Amino acid sequence: MPSTKWRAVAQRSAHLLRVTLPAFGGRGVQFLALAAMAAVVSPADYGRFSTLQVLVFGLASITASSMGASSNAAAARATRDGALGVWAILATLLRARRRALLVNLVVSSLAVPVGYFLVVGVTPERLPMLVAIGVMSAALPVGETVVAVLAGSGRYRTASWTDAVRAVAGAALALVLGVVSGPWWATVGLLATDVLIAVAAIVLATNHRRATTTLTGLAGPAPAAPDRSADGLHAGLVANVLGQVANWVVLWAIGAIGGALGLGAYGVALRFASVVTLAPVYFGKTVIGQLAAPGLSANQWTPRSFVGMLAGLSVVGSLLAAGVMALGFPSLTDRYDGLWWMLAAVLTATSLRAVLIGLGQVCVAQRRWRTWVVADAASLVVTVIGVLVASVGPTGMHGAVLVVLASAVANVAGIATRFVGLRRPTSRVPETVR
């Protein structure tokens, strides 16, 4: 009966909210801190900070979201099969991916300064700081892997509290350093907590490897490791490269068409629109393991109910973001010209992005690697076409808004591609998104 179905969805949603509440609270504190920074520093400085944030977190997410999603699924399967404990799973996955992490560190140290130079420009004295920020950003994939393994192994609240600490501590440091020392130090503060978590995780992996070697020599073979052969890491890296290239194209076009003020308004709008992406990011960390290794729990989610829930929450989140800006930060509309138009465009694009992320998590859980990649390729192509169309239109804030709307259309293309891919039959997973 429909009423029974809706009660089940409501029950699952309530449980999901309870276990992820600390993470949401942490992001709420982060949101308030960084929004307060926008009201204190100059619009140009906030534009520089936002540009760095987009570059750093966008670049890191190429590896971080791939490792996070695949680690979550691998941990869920390993826990279900009773192969290893949670810390052994974490150590095994970090050791297996050490080359990818090292490559990410090298690429980040080069790409962050280059990206910032292309969007904003940089003086020689800022170059060492930008390189250091790039190196620090390499800690983000390790932090995401830690949270993913905790969530995938069923330790949802521990994972949620870890995310909360990352958000609150990083935001506090960013606000203090940003006001005192400028946008570059604000980014350093935002990354500092993840650096500490990464160091602790790497030490754990190293010590566990030594312990495993000793035990293997004394007591026979080591326990079986979680399945890594089909965790989709390479597919995820390709998909996320395509997705981040699309984001960088949008960022570059906004800077070229709207200038520093356009980047500032875009950064503020992104800050408020980040409310919309909280659900797919934090709920996904809890649900993806259920989708990868379904159980008999009353709180078990299906792909269809999960994606539908995200679509509904994206609308609610958009209204909430607009209301918070109107009631809590009315002065921002005077400081940032055209902010309301930019916010409307960014909320539209971000709401669609939330659904696209949810479908991507279903692809990971069902090992639909090709669909995961092709959808981001389609979105990139549409983004480039949309930016080219927008570039022949008006300049200034109106042109920057058109660029963001082009990215919204690109997200629609990605959603359609993933829906089609998930509905195709396969011998390994169910034929439809149920």
Side-chain angles (χ1 to χ4, degrees):
M1 295 178 63
S3 59
T4 303
K5 176 182 176 181
W6 285 113
R7 280 199 300 270
V9 171
Q11 179 184 352
R12 291 196 297 268
S13 299
H15 174 264
L16 197 56
L17 183 59
R18 284 197 302 271
V19 298
T20 56
L21 193 59
F24 277 96
R27 279 299 294 268
V29 172
Q30 183 188 69
F31 165 79
L32 292 173
L34 299 185
M37 186 194 301
V40 175
V41 303
S42 70
D45 267 355
Y46 199 77
R48 296 183 184 97
F49 168 70
S50 298
T51 300
L52 267 176
Q53 191 178 4
V54 171
L55 287 170
V56 165
F57 284 87
L59 187 67
S61 72
I62 292 174
T63 305
S65 61
S66 302
M67 286 192 174
S70 58
S71 296
N72 197 316
R77 296 186 185 103
T79 301
R80 177 195 61 189
D81 298 336
L84 291 172
V86 58
W87 303 119
I89 294 170
L90 174 62
T92 301
L93 291 173
L94 288 178
R95 290 201 308 270
R97 297 167 181 185
R98 60 187 180 275
R99 292 180 181 175
L101 291 169
L102 181 60
V103 170
N104 176 66
L105 186 150
V106 174
V107 171
S108 298
S109 66
L110 298 174
V112 168
V114 171
Y116 190 83
F117 172 77
L118 292 176
V119 176
V120 179
V122 64
T123 55
E125 62 268 18
R126 294 293 183 189
L127 185 59
M129 173 67 79
L130 291 171
V131 172
I133 289 172
V135 171
M136 292 181 70
S137 72
L140 291 170
V142 181
E144 283 297 311
T145 300
V146 171
V147 174
V149 170
L150 289 170
S153 62
R155 291 163 172 80
Y156 303 130
R157 288 185 172 84
T158 303
S160 185
W161 277 108
T162 303
D163 265 332
V165 170
R166 295 168 71 197
V168 172
L173 288 171
L175 177 59
V176 172
L177 293 176
V179 172
V180 173
S181 303
W184 300 273
W185 282 102
T187 310
V188 169
L190 206 57
L191 296 170
T193 305
D194 274 284
V195 172
L196 295 177
I197 292 174
V199 171
I202 291 170
V203 170
L204 170 69
T206 303
N207 291 338
H208 183 271
R209 183 177 185 178
R210 292 171 181 165
T212 301
T213 302
T214 302
L215 289 173
T216 301
L218 294 175
D227 177 23
R228 301 188 306 270
S229 61
D231 66 1
L233 178 59
H234 292 98
L237 291 174
V238 174
N240 288 324
V241 166
L242 294 171
Q244 288 309 313
V245 169
N247 290 339
W248 295 333
V249 167
V250 171
L251 187 66
W252 171 83
I254 290 173
I257 295 173
L261 295 180
L263 288 170
Y266 180 61
V268 174
L270 279 179
R271 174 58 45 214
F272 284 86
S274 65
V275 173
V276 178
T277 57
L278 292 179
V281 169
Y282 290 119
F283 286 172
K285 291 177 182 181
T286 300
V287 173
I288 193 171
Q290 297 180 11
L291 301 179
L296 301 177
S297 169
N299 297 312
Q300 177 72 37
W301 287 87
T302 64
R304 176 172 292 179
S305 62
F306 176 58
V307 174
M309 178 265 293
L310 292 180
L313 287 180
S314 69
V315 176
V316 175
S318 295
L319 295 174
L320 178 63
V324 168
M325 193 179 83
L327 299 176
F329 299 89
S331 63
L332 291 178
T333 57
D334 297 326
R335 291 172 59 85
Y336 296 86
D337 183 49
L339 181 57
W340 274 113
W341 288 106
M342 179 63 78
L343 181 64
V346 170
L347 286 175
T348 301
T350 307
S351 296
L352 294 167
R353 182 69 183 171
V355 176
L356 184 61
I357 292 172
L359 288 169
Q361 290 164 336
V362 174
C363 289
V364 173
Q366 297 188 350
R367 303 182 185 184
R368 298 294 193 108
W369 313 132
R370 181 177 299 178
T371 298
W372 195 13
V373 173
V374 171
D376 282 307
S379 184
L380 173 59
V381 170
V382 176
T383 297
V384 172
I385 294 173
V387 165
L388 291 175
V389 172
S391 66
V392 300
T395 58
M397 187 59 63
H398 293 299
V401 169
L402 287 178
V403 171
V404 178
L405 291 176
S407 72
V409 176
N411 287 337
V412 172
I415 289 171
T417 303
R418 281 185 178 157
F419 263 125
V420 171
L422 287 167
R423 290 185 65 84
R424 289 178 179 172
T426 175
S427 59
R428 296 181 63 182
V429 294
E431 295 187 3
T432 60
V433 181
R434 298 179 304 183

